[in-house]
Amino acid sequence: ILTAREPEKLRNEIIQYGVSQIDGGTKIELGSYSQDEKNENLDKGQFKINDDRSLAEIIDELLEQDMLPSFCTSCYRRGRTGEHFMEFSVPGFIKRFCGPNALLTLAEYIMDYANATTAEKGWRAIEKNLLTLDEKTQLSVRSKIEKIRNGERDLYY
């Protein structure tokens, strides 16, 4: 896990070694995600953020580096946690879910938040990664991506 406590330069170096979770656009002050512009707690964070890039900037940079950003939470939601997660993870079965779910969550991000440049990079990354899947999974993921394009959300394996 790589947090925004670390500076951008260090994060960019460390991520190359197989980081599985990062944060972006992090706000640590009480109430800092609220819409209230007059929040009194904005200078009372628990610790210092050393990488203040926005989530959009980080996603764009990950795509630029040929990485696949994922917002997947399906294991938690499907009950694949703790010992049950290890049953999938240790023999490598979890890969059947991780790749497809990363593609679906990236498609949702693109549709809902990405600017045109990031969207173009994201769709290219999705297509490239789709081609690494077996034909049956590829067809299933393509079908779910089409549903996402048509407004459905929260699709996962």
Side-chain angles (χ1 to χ4, degrees):
I1 297 173
L2 187 57
T3 72
R5 291 181 189 185
E6 289 76 43
E8 176 181 349
K9 183 178 177 183
L10 180 62
R11 284 170 46 109
N12 287 340
E13 182 178 332
I14 291 173
I15 200 166
Q16 304 301 318
Y17 296 104
V19 172
S20 64
Q21 293 179 30
I22 64 171
D23 57 2
T26 302
K27 297 178 183 181
I28 57 170
E29 299 82 9
L30 292 172
S32 60
Y33 289 103
S34 78
Q35 298 297 323
D36 184 5
E37 296 290 327
K38 297 179 182 178
N39 194 315
E40 302 169 4
N41 297 312
L42 291 181
D43 292 324
K44 298 178 183 174
Q46 297 173 317
F47 48 83
K48 182 171 174 17
I49 295 294
N50 291 301
D51 184 352
D52 61 358
R53 290 175 292 170
S54 70
L55 178 60
E57 290 173 296
I58 290 173
I59 295 300
D60 191 69
E61 289 177 21
L62 291 172
L63 290 167
E64 192 66 38
Q65 296 172 32
D66 204 27
M67 294 184 188
L68 183 61
S70 174
F71 297 89
C72 182
T73 59
S74 70
C75 283
Y76 293 106
R77 295 160 67 204
R78 291 278 190 172
R80 294 186 295 251
T81 59
E83 192 174 313
H84 186 56
F85 175 79
M86 296 308 287
E87 292 170 5
F88 284 90
S89 179
V90 172
F93 299 142
I94 201 69
K95 290 178 189 176
R96 293 184 295 193
F97 305 115
C98 292
N101 286 327
L103 298 175
L104 295 176
T105 61
L106 180 56
E108 286 189 24
Y109 175 83
I110 291 168
M111 293 300 297
D112 295 344
Y113 304 106
N115 64 42
T117 303
T118 301
E120 185 178 321
K121 290 176 192 176
W123 290 122
R124 277 197 312 264
I126 287 172
E127 188 57 36
K128 177 182 177 183
N129 283 276
L130 274 168
L131 297 176
T132 67
L133 303 174
D134 65 78
E135 187 176 339
K136 181 180 176 185
T137 305
Q138 191 178 133
L139 288 172
S140 176
V141 173
R142 285 186 189 280
S143 173
K144 288 184 185 234
I145 287 174
E146 192 57 36
K147 290 178 181 180
I148 290 168
R149 286 181 182 266
N150 289 322
E152 288 190 46
R153 295 294 181 268
D154 205 27
L155 305 175
Y156 55 89
Y157 293 91

